[in-house]
Every structure is written in C-alpha cells, then in structure tokens.
Amino acid sequence: MPRTVVFAALFAAAAALIQPSAAETPVERGRYLVNGIASCGNCHSPQQPEGTVSGPPLSGGNAIASPAFTAYPPNLTPDRDTGLGSWTADQIVTAIREGVTPDGKVLRPPMPVAFYRGMSDRDAYAIAAYLQSLAPVRNQVPASSYRQPTLPGYGGPVGAIPDPDPSDKVAYGHYLAQMGHCMLCHTPRDANGRIDTSLLGAGGVPVGDAGIITPNITPDPKFGIGAWTDGQIADALTKGVRPDGSHLAPPMPWPYLATMSDQDIGAITAYLRTLKPIAQ
Ligand code: HEC
Ligand code: HEC
C-alpha cells in the first residue's frame, strides 16, 4: 500500500475516534435535543394540564399566560401554510439563535432565544433538520397578545459557533443547561425584566397555570439542592421525584430530560454544583 494511502486511512480512523457520535445523523441528534434537553415541545406541543402531550407533537402549544402576555407557541411542523414548511434551515436556525423570523419579526417571550444564542452550529442545524423531517400538521395557533413592550432584539448575528467539548464536564453541563433554559424558570428578573445573574438558580418565579413557584436549585444545603446526592438530582431531573418522594409538577420539563444520557445528566449536575449557593 502506498504511504499516503496508509496515512489517509490512519487519519480517518483517528478522526472517527475523536468523534464518538459520528454515527449519529443530524436528524437523530436533532431528535435527541428537541425531545430532550431543549424540550421545545414543553411549549410548542398541545398538552393536558398535567403535562401529557394531547395532539401531534410540536404542532402548536397551549396558551402561556403571564401578567405581561398571553402567548401561543406556533406550529413547528413543516406545514406550508400554518407551520415552518416554507422556511429554509438557515431561517429556522436564525429564528432559534437570533430570534428573528424570515419576515424580520423579533420573537417575543417566553421563546428562550437568549438561552439558545450559544447553541453550536451542528446542534442548531440538527434541530432544524429534525423539525423539517416531521410530518406536516395543519394547525394555525391563535394570535398572541402582549401587554408590555418586549425586547427590541437579542444582540444580532451569532456567527459560527463550534461544538462544546464534552470532556470538560462543567462547561458542557453549562452548555446543556443553557439549551435546557433552566434559568428561564429558576431565576428571578431584575427591574428591567432580565434574568438577575446575581441570583442565578435562586428560584421564586411563578410559572405555569397553577401558579407554582420554582424552587431554589443552587447548592445551598438548606434552601437549595446542595444536600442532594448526584443520584437524587438525577431522579428529580429524569423521573420528576424529589428525595422525599414527592413529584414535580409541570412545567418542570422532566419528561423531556428523562430521554437524556446519564453522561449528559451528570454534566448538568456538575454544573449546578458550581452555582453560587443562595440562602433564600
Ligand atoms: C418556554 C416556551 C418555549 C420554548 C421552550 C421554545 N419556544 Fe419557540 N416559541 C415560543 C413562543 C411563545 C413563540 C412565539 C413568539 C412570538 O410570537 O413572538 C415561539 C416561536 C418560535 C419560532 C418562530 C415560529 C413562527 O412561526 O414565527 C420558532 C422557529 C421556534 N419558536 C422554535 C423553537 C425551537 C426549535 C425550540 C426548542 C429548541 C423552541 N422554540 C422552544 C415559546 C417557546
Ligand atoms: C418551564 C419552567 C422550568 C424549566 C425550563 C426548568 N424547570 Fe426545574 N422546575 C420547575 C418547576 C415549576 C419546579 C417545581 C415543580 C413543583 O413544585 O412541583 C421545578 C423543580 C426542579 C427541581 C426540584 C428542586 C426542588 O427543590 O424541588 C430541580 C432539581 C430542577 N427543577 C432543576 C432544573 C434544571 C436542571 C433545569 C434545566 C435542565 C430545569 N429545572 C428547567 C420549572 C422549570
């Protein structure tokens, strides 16, 4: 065998080794993220009050009401008239990460654009590919209404974003927690309506129809989850069960997180343990 061919073969083998998920297609990766950590269906799928999906997944969600708005998460299936059927993958990715639609509208809350801005190119396009692979469902959601002004934008184009390194457990856990927009629900707002980063994970936010207040998920041993073992945190995230056996109500997206790998749940746990403990 000529030398260059041998080197090329070795190089291909090495490349295969450093990309353990190379066998996963973009649609498979997108399915794992959308139905897992990104939990898009927690807003964009029709559901019963107790959280079970009650119609075609991702075909448009229930009203999400707050004092500031009544929002109807749109149909994400590729129906041409009522969904994303006429959008290109680039346009879907721009909507998710930059919050701008093909006709120039800025997406409003609670679409968690600010949390999706750091999503890698590979993951964002995988999500677009998965949405485009769904069966089109015809369903026009009602128009949303907003009673307060919303953000003028999210900061413009994000550029090219490389994949995070899963071997850096805490950084990878942070990447996943952003995609899971944990802090959208688990962090109070400042006076300008933005996430109060000095209280990251402190909870205390009313969410959902039942007016549930989100708990503190910082490592404070008394007010947060600092005294929970890794296994207990994994059970809360993937089974919706607290150490005392009580169950987590919607909209905590545990039925989505239940589909995640142990490795990814472990990375999120490692990241949560690095948050500043907050005693409130
Ligand atoms: C917390 C709720 C929530 C989550 C989670 C969420 N969205 Fe949204 N999304 C919304 C709302 C509400 C809108 C409508 C915003 C508006 O009308 O300005 C929206 C709008 C969109 C749009 C624009 C559609 C259109 O027809 O204009 C796209 C695309 C989209 N979301 C994709 C996604 C994807 C993909 C995910 C998961 C990676 C996701 N969303 C997760 C609430 C959510
Ligand atoms: C859409 C809002 C929402 C999102 C997103 C969300 N949570 Fe929650 N979470 C809740 C609510 C609500 C509860 C409490 C449910 C209850 O009281 O029954 C909860 C409970 C929890 C608990 C149990 C804590 C305790 O003391 O009871 C943990 C741990 C947790 N969430 C972690 C996370 C993590 C990690 C993420 C991101 C991967 C996340 N949550 C995303 C709403 C959310």
Side-chain angles (χ1 to χ4, degrees), residues 37 39 42-43 176-177 180-186 205 207 212-217 223-225 228 233 236-237 242 247-253 257 268 272:
I37 186 67
S39 56
N42 203 30
C43 295
L176 292 172
H181 51 281
C182 315
M183 299 311 171
L184 175 77
C185 296
H186 285 282
V205 184
V207 290
I212 289 177
I213 308 287
T214 52
N216 180 329
I217 57 168
F223 293 90
I225 58 172
W228 298 17
I233 295 177
L237 298 184
R242 293 191 187 88
H247 290 262
L248 302 182
M252 172 64 195
L257 308 183
I268 293 174
L272 291 177

Side-chain angles (χ1 to χ4, degrees), residues 57-119:
L58 302 165
S59 66
N62 300 10
I64 302 175
S66 87
F69 53 76
T70 302
Y72 289 90
N75 180 352
L76 300 183
T77 74
D79 181 61
R80 284 197 78 84
D81 299 327
T82 64
L84 304 181
S86 64
W87 297 31
T88 64
D90 284 337
Q91 289 172 331
I92 296 175
V93 167
T94 302
I96 297 171
R97 294 197 299 196
E98 296 168 17
V100 182
T101 67
D103 54 7
K105 282 203 281 258
V106 174
L107 293 179
R108 298 159 298 181
M111 171 66 189
V113 175
F115 292 91
Y116 293 156
R117 278 180 75 77
M119 205 185 273

Side-chain angles (χ1 to χ4, degrees), residues 228 232-250 252-258:
W228 298 17
Q232 288 171 330
I233 295 177
D235 282 350
L237 298 184
T238 62
K239 299 187 185 127
V241 181
R242 293 191 187 88
D244 67 4
S246 61
H247 290 262
L248 302 182
M252 172 64 195
W254 68 264
Y256 292 88
L257 308 183

